[in-house]
Amino acid sequence: MKKVDFLAIGDPVVDEFIQLKEARVNCAVDDADCTISMRWGDKIPFESATLVAGVGNSANAAVSARRLGLSAGLLGIVGDDAYGKRIQAVYKKEGLDRSYLEVAKGIPTNHHYVLSFESERTILVKHEAYRYQFPKSLPEPKTVYLSSLAESVGQDYYDALAAYVEARPDIFFAFQPGTFQMKQGTEMLARIYRRADIFFCNKEEAARILGGEAPLSDLFTGLMALGPKKVVITDGTNGAYAFDGTETVMIPMYPDARPPYERTGAGDAFASTVAAAMTLGKTFKEALLWGPVNSMSVVQKIGAQEGLLSRAALEGYLKDAPAEYATRPL
């Protein structure tokens, strides 16, 4: 393993996007608690199916960081099948360090299905039963970015990871929990939360982690009590909010050039871009304005990575941003 600037930790997957043609979306008040319905026991026509290899929260973060100019690797596992080989080819093309990627013999690669309709999606997920073991020898990167891992990843793995970053205080440690990590609870991941330099989630996830809906100020108070130094909460089209222990600021969306095509990966693009910008030496407030630019670009494409920008392209958008595109205190 070679030393990299940005090491993402999590499960890589292949996503198969199925663009639905006929469906009905039903939402409660304020477009919340939406469900999608289709005719049961019938043949349902669809527009298209597109397979995207090498995605997943952490994989998206690694590609994001690499395109922004950092050396990057992904600590994860793929199967020894055609999909695993396809993922490795994607990472080779992206310039990711593949020495951190393990190949599991006799086990297939994680394969998810994304049902897309209009600009939203529902993801059918399955994580294979890999044998997870945190490396005993790992070069020290500038940044470690932890996100989605399988439900089968146990206490021993998280304890070993926590011990690694606790012993290396110079590492900038970012945590964006995945679905299973939120289900495992804050007690199991207590050391991870305490060591996090920055923590990312959306507003609904914050309520889930803390056990119930609450005002934004209470969500920040509850998450900060778990130990992270900075907390960022995204809120869809309302933008995002950040708290550094002293000041809470609001971050607007970057203006869309056209309506979003597909929203997969918008949250990953935001969080990873903020973390990458801080790794590049940007201040917290500067980095917060980088995130929405990549989110805006990603939702114009299919999948979570095609729209990720180079540093030059992202800085071009920042240069052309309207005057009102700025953080503001709450």
Side-chain angles (χ1 to χ4, degrees), residues 30 61 73 80 187 220 239 244 256 260 279 286 290 305 316 318 320 324:
D30 298 327
D80 63 346
E187 184 175 344
F220 276 122
D244 63 1
D256 287 316
T279 307
E286 288 173 333
W290 281 44
Q305 294 180 6
L318 288 173
D320 295 337
E324 61 269 22

Side-chain angles (χ1 to χ4, degrees), residues 79-134:
D80 63 346
D81 54 7
Y83 291 134
K85 292 181 176 65
R86 191 162 175 174
I87 287 174
Q88 293 190 65
V90 168
Y91 293 167
K92 181 179 180 180
K93 180 181 177 182
E94 292 290 346
L96 293 186
D97 189 323
R98 290 169 292 143
S99 63
Y100 293 87
L101 198 63
E102 180 184 345
V103 177
K105 299 297 182 182
I107 305 177
T109 298
N110 292 319
H111 192 153
H112 296 172
Y113 295 88
V114 185
L115 305 181
S116 297
F117 185 67
E118 296 176 343
S119 63
E120 295 294 346
R121 83 285 185 271
T122 291
I123 307 176
L124 309 181
V125 304
K126 180 186 178 184
H127 288 254
E128 299 295 337
Y130 298 130
R131 182 176 176 271
Y132 291 89
Q133 186 173 3
F134 192 77

